[in-house]
Amino acid sequence: MGLGHEIGFGAPCLKCKEKCEGFELHYWRKICRNCKCGQEEHDIPSSNEDDRKVGKLFEDTKYTSLIAKLKSDGNPMYKRNVMILTSPVPAKNISIDTVTYEWAPPVQNQTLARQYMQMLPREKQPVAGSEGAQYRKKQLAKQLPAHDQDPSKCHELSPNEVKHMEQFVKKYKKEALGVGDVKLPGEVGVGAPDENKLKNGGGRGTSSAVGTMEKSPKKASQYSCYHCKLNMREGDPAVYAERAGYDKLWHPGCFVCCTCRELLVDMIYFWKNGNLYCGRHYCDSERPRCAGCDELIFSNEYTLAEGQNWHLKHFCCFDCDCVLAGITYIMVNDKPVCKSCYMKSHAAVCQGCHNAIDPEVQRVTYNNFNWHATRECFLCSCCSKCLIGQKFISMEGMLFCSVECKEKMMS
């Protein structure tokens, strides 16, 4: 099964800059082999992959109006709503200023969609070529990883694991997946969601409200946001989530995952126990996730180490990929590293002998400098007196037993 290694090959890393030779996907981790950053940290040119991924997510759900089948291969493609706004710019020769939003709420009223966008933080508005467009792209990768829904994007699943994953995906599409609906407060009924209708995929599109669809006599200011509890303002749009029931509504900027607190990308949410989740954190609440490959675990056997879950085959050194079962390892930035790689790339260097310090031996650390805790290394730089258990003076990595020795060395 392919993990899509050709996608984005050679793309520069936005985080590491010139330190990264270009994106090269690790053969089973979801990171770059060169800089260890995720795919979302690289400037990978836009392609149809994200639209294919979201299209597959909406397949066999009530949101089929948001996808189209490709004639070439029959695969579903996400028909995201792109909004282009134009306004004349005063000039000698009148020109047109155009703003393109790479995604906008799928509503017929463009004024409502425009208001929705203006209520988002500017740095999160998906205007083409902007910081907001990059933010959306990054959140698509983080919140809706392809390997959470498509077995073909996973590393060497057994037939039984594929079966369990397909059942899991079918279940969350039926019970939790939804797309937010933008409306003015009071334009929808307030009935609780009809669970049978939702589970059976009743209705099409994103605006099939459950309950009585009569306009409420209440003013917008009488509605409060489910997230921040503040009142809505007259004329401002709200976001509704059908699975939550139309008695709940959110400010556009408050429609966030309860775990990562990020805006739910393209208003795609998962509803569970009174909370909104992004795809990643909903799945994390249901299944263990391997800290090595980032995939959900569907096998009966896996290991728990350092407070994280791992496929047995993926509890490996972060540097050389050797399996760590039964051997010494050291955690470096929350990643396990074998002793050999630790000594080679991560160990502290002794100021006395200038050799790497074994993680299993005692050392002394002072002002970001390190020494072996031995008579041969932790000693006065002038008279070589052992300083273990003694008072000392430190200056630029050198140690002195007295002011006299320091002055003598400095002169």
Side-chain angles (χ1 to χ4, degrees), residues 72-85:
S72 56
D73 54 16
N75 289 326
M77 181 73 83
Y78 178 33
K79 295 190 303 182
R80 57 191 163 88
N81 185 41
V82 176
M83 183 169 67
I84 302 175
L85 301 178

Side-chain angles (χ1 to χ4, degrees), residues 77-335:
M77 181 73 83
Y78 178 33
K79 295 190 303 182
R80 57 191 163 88
N81 185 41
V82 176
M83 183 169 67
I84 302 175
L85 301 178
T86 58
S87 58
V89 178
K92 194 170 185 180
N93 297 316
I94 294 177
S95 60
I96 300 296
D97 183 30
T98 301
V99 176
T100 301
Y101 290 91
E102 294 188 350
W103 171 85
V107 293
Q108 292 182 341
N109 186 340
Q110 193 179 78
T111 301
L112 202 62
R114 191 174 195 166
Q115 284 179 288
Y116 167 90
M117 285 300 180
Q118 291 172 346
M119 291 180 69
L120 299 181
R122 182 172 290 276
E123 69 276 10
K124 295 181 180 180
Q125 296 176 15
V127 175
S130 72
E131 179 186 1
Q134 193 65 40
Y135 171 79
R136 175 182 175 270
K137 183 178 172 183
K138 189 173 181 177
Q139 293 308 314
L140 276 170
K142 293 179 75 171
Q143 295 185 21
L144 302 171
H147 50 270
D148 277 9
Q149 59 157 318
D150 188 351
S152 71
K153 303 298 183 183
C154 299
H155 179 242
E156 297 180 351
L157 296 186
S158 68
N160 193 48
E161 287 173 307
V162 170
K163 179 183 176 183
H164 280 96
M165 182 174 184
E166 288 174 343
Q167 290 173 342
F168 173 71
V169 172
K170 185 177 180 180
K171 185 173 183 287
Y172 74 55
K173 285 186 178 185
K174 183 178 179 182
E175 297 179 0
L177 174 65
V179 180
D181 193 13
V182 176
K183 290 187 178 295
L184 292 173
E187 283 192 344
V188 297
V190 295
D194 185 335
E195 291 296 333
N196 290 325
K197 185 176 180 182
L198 285 172
K199 290 181 179 181
N200 293 326
R204 296 293 174 200
T206 62
S207 58
S208 53
V210 176
T212 306
M213 293 301 296
E214 295 177 0
K215 195 163 183 176
S216 171
K218 288 169 65 176
K219 292 183 178 180
S221 58
Q222 294 177 283
Y223 292 90
S224 60
C225 173
Y226 187 72
H227 176 75
C228 71
K229 311 305 179 189
L230 297 177
N231 290 341
M232 308 300 291
R233 294 190 308 179
E234 288 293 332
D236 282 351
V239 183
Y240 290 85
E242 185 175 2
R243 291 192 183 275
Y246 282 85
D247 57 331
K248 301 177 184 66
L249 72 169
W250 288 259
H251 291 111
C254 291
F255 201 63
V256 298
C257 170
C258 68
T259 301
C260 64
R261 303 295 177 181
E262 295 290 353
L263 280 179
L264 291 164
V265 65
D266 293 12
M267 300 193 301
I268 299 170
Y269 70 88
F270 291 74
W271 181 255
K272 178 182 175 181
N273 297 335
N275 289 305
L276 292 170
Y277 289 86
C278 67
R280 170 179 290 275
H281 291 114
Y282 170 81
C283 290
D284 286 350
S285 75
E286 293 284 315
R287 303 289 310 183
R289 187 183 295 277
C290 176
C293 68
D294 196 48
E295 294 170 16
L296 300 172
I297 299 175
F298 291 96
S299 57
N300 292 327
E301 293 184 352
Y302 60 96
T303 189
L304 179 65
E306 303 298 333
Q308 300 181 92
N309 301 296
W310 312 75
H311 287 113
L312 297 178
K313 61 186 177 184
H314 290 158
F315 186 53
C316 302
C317 172
F318 193 64
D319 286 3
C320 71
D321 291 328
C322 73
V323 177
L324 295 173
I327 67 171
T328 299
Y329 66 88
I330 301 93
M331 295 301 288
V332 178
N333 298 325
D334 296 325
K335 305 292 183 184

